[in-house]
């Protein structure tokens, strides 16, 4: 619940900044990434190795930067945009919360398994 509130706050804050600073030609873009292969995800070999839906940081940054000034909100990477569209269009909040919780539990278990080795 707190995570959803924080995400809503960041989006709302970005919109307020965009409105407030547009007269100074300052671009404010809200970026909502899914998983990106970075050292921050070292708790999961699945995320570190990357895949079709988990780009490396350089690819993600290149695509996200290309959208700067073109759209107010982006997922930053084309497969993330596809995921975002499917998730937001076809699944209610309770399903997204349940799947997110299961995914986080899976990553937590993967981390604990790595620690045992």
């Amino acid at each position: 619940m707190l995570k959803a509130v924080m995400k809503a706050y960041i989006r709302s804050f970005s919109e307020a900044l965009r409105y407030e600073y547009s007269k100074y030609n300052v671009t404010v873009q809200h970026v909502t990434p899914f998983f990106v292969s970075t050292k921050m995800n070292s708790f999961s070999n699945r995320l570190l190795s990357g895949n079709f839906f988990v780009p490396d940081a350089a690819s993600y940054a290149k695509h996200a930067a290309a959208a700067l000034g073109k759209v107010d909100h982006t997922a930053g990477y084309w497969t993330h945009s596809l995921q975002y569209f499917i998730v937001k269009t076809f699944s209610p909040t309770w399903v997204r919360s349940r799947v997110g919780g299961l995914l986080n539990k899976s990553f937590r278990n993967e981390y604990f398994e790595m620690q045992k080795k």
Side-chain angles (χ1 to χ4, degrees), residues 15-99:
E15 290 170 2
L17 282 176
R18 182 179 313 110
Y19 173 78
E20 201 169 319
Y21 286 92
S22 63
K23 61 186 170 195
Y24 302 110
N25 291 324
V26 173
T27 300
V28 177
Q29 182 181 59
H30 181 246
V31 181
T32 310
F34 281 71
F35 290 111
V36 177
S37 179
T38 65
K39 290 180 184 178
M40 187 169 76
N41 293 326
S42 63
F43 60 87
S44 170
N45 287 329
R46 291 180 291 167
L47 293 177
L48 269 182
S49 62
N51 60 49
F52 183 70
F53 290 107
V54 182
D56 62 89
S59 296
Y60 182 84
K62 178 182 171 187
H63 285 88
L68 191 59
K70 296 177 184 169
V71 293
D72 292 338
H73 175 259
T74 181
Y77 193 72
W78 74 273
T79 59
H80 290 190
S81 296
L82 180 64
Q83 288 173 295
Y84 185 83
F85 172 77
I86 291 169
V87 166
K88 285 294 208 175
T89 304
F90 300 109
S91 63
T93 303
W94 72 268
V95 171
R96 294 192 305 264
S97 296
R98 174 84 176 169
V99 170

Side-chain angles (χ1 to χ4, degrees), residues 3 35 43-44 46-47 97-113:
K3 189 174 183 181
F35 290 111
F43 60 87
S44 170
R46 291 180 291 167
L47 293 177
S97 296
R98 174 84 176 169
V99 170
L102 292 171
L103 188 59
N104 286 337
K105 187 175 182 178
S106 169
F107 287 134
R108 203 169 24 253
N109 290 339
E110 182 180 359
Y111 170 78
F112 289 134
E113 286 299 316

